[in-house]
Amino acid sequence: MSKWPGKYVIGLTGNIATGKSVVRKMLEHLGAYTIDADALAHRTYAKGAPAYQMVVDTFGQWVLGPDGQVDRAKLGRLAFSDLEALKQLEAIVHPLVEQAVDIMVRRASQKVIVIEAIKLLEGGLRQHLDSVWVVYAPEEIQVERLIRKRDMGQEEALARVRSQSPQEDKISAARVVVRNTGSYEELWKQVTAAWKAVSPSAETVPLTLKQGPKGEFAVQRGKPRNSEEIAALITRLSGGRQNLSAEDVMAAVGEKAYLLLQLDNRLVGVAGWQVENLVARVPDLY
């Protein structure tokens, strides 16, 4: 049972390169407050952060890069190849992550919270969740994504995928299973259908601003169905510097949300914004 009264807390998990972050972003678009626990874990051992010295003392100076920061690639290779090292790292990081998650959930104004974590079922957070959602992808898609997005070789990518517990173990613990086979449209349909079961009145009502005889402006969240007109507007207003397709916009859903400005139902402005663990920025404004 959740330890956060008044909040419905979803634990979102899945193995590497299944598309968890894309699903989390989609849920954020739909109105959930989302937390990337894996990103928080990385921040715990940034230079000056609470876990930094513990990681250095445990694994040695060799895990540091030239800038004095912990080299995540080095640490990752060690942790994924040595079970004891992984347990040591988790013993350092997990308590700090759970403390940070607790603070963020309590401060969130939204009633539905989504916590993304690859080790969700193995950690202490599991007992406080109202629901577990698992994102699944076939092994060949996981490997292709690691090669394309993380510059891994075929053998390294396959080894990383197969070093994790079987996806079926996570699926057996899930209330909702999202099957990500590569189509953003199909993924969006699955996520919105599952979201409606959690929040039946989830459709966002546009914010309307009256402007007299000049027309009526409306501001609302962009949805995947708006991807073609978002791409066309950004391409036009950037003077071609950003030549986007609808597929490019759909792919960006994993990283950002779009806020649309409409004048008499005609799209006239777009803001692309990102929120990661209470840090917000607007990389696109047209």
Side-chain angles (χ1 to χ4, degrees), residues 56 105 109 155 191:
V56 175
V105 172
S109 59
E155 289 186 7
V191 172

Side-chain angles (χ1 to χ4, degrees), residues 50 112 118 179 195 227 268:
V112 181
I118 196 166
R179 298 187 180 275
W195 171 256
S227 58
V268 295

Side-chain angles (χ1 to χ4, degrees), residues 252-265:
V253 165
E255 301 175 355
K256 69 182 72 171
Y258 289 99
L259 198 62
L260 310 182
L261 176 64
Q262 295 179 319
L263 173 60
D264 292 333
N265 296 318

Side-chain angles (χ1 to χ4, degrees), residues 22-186:
V22 175
V23 172
R24 174 173 57 83
K25 279 296 183 182
M26 287 179 171
L27 289 167
E28 184 177 294
H29 298 341
L30 290 167
Y33 179 82
T34 71
I35 299 170
D36 184 349
D38 297 325
L40 286 176
H42 300 151
R43 292 181 187 182
T44 64
Y45 52 77
K47 193 172 184 179
Y52 176 82
Q53 196 58 51
M54 289 187 284
V55 168
V56 175
D57 291 344
T58 301
F59 301 108
Q61 294 280 334
W62 76 274
V63 299
L64 299 180
D67 58 357
Q69 295 283 0
V70 173
D71 186 319
R72 282 178 51 195
K74 288 183 181 178
L75 189 61
R77 284 193 293 270
L78 173 64
F80 276 100
S81 63
D82 185 332
L83 183 59
E84 187 56 38
L86 179 61
K87 289 179 179 178
Q88 288 178 301
L89 180 61
E90 290 175 346
I92 294 170
V93 169
H94 282 183
L96 295 170
V97 171
E98 290 179 19
Q99 182 181 27
V101 166
D102 181 60
I103 293 170
M104 294 170 74
V105 172
R106 293 182 189 280
R107 290 182 177 178
S109 59
Q110 292 92 326
K111 293 187 180 299
V112 181
I113 313 293
V114 177
I115 303 171
E116 177 197 342
I118 196 166
K119 284 296 190 80
L120 182 84
L121 300 179
E122 295 87 343
L125 284 172
R126 180 180 183 177
Q127 61 186 315
H128 302 301
L129 301 173
D130 295 295
S131 182
V132 173
W133 291 23
V134 170
V135 184
Y136 164 85
E139 183 180 276
E140 61 271 19
I141 290 181
Q142 292 176 273
V143 170
E144 185 275 330
R145 286 174 182 156
L146 289 175
I147 293 171
R148 176 166 46 89
K149 295 185 176 182
R150 302 198 191 181
D151 253 356
M152 292 186 184
Q154 176 80 23
E155 289 186 7
E156 182 184 0
L158 191 59
R160 183 68 66 92
V161 167
R162 292 182 176 175
S163 71
Q164 298 185 313
S165 60
Q167 295 195 69
E168 290 73 17
D169 292 351
K170 290 182 171 66
I171 289 172
S172 65
R175 179 174 295 181
V176 173
V177 178
V178 179
R179 298 187 180 275
N180 181 9
T181 57
S183 165
Y184 290 108
E185 289 81 4
E186 178 57 34

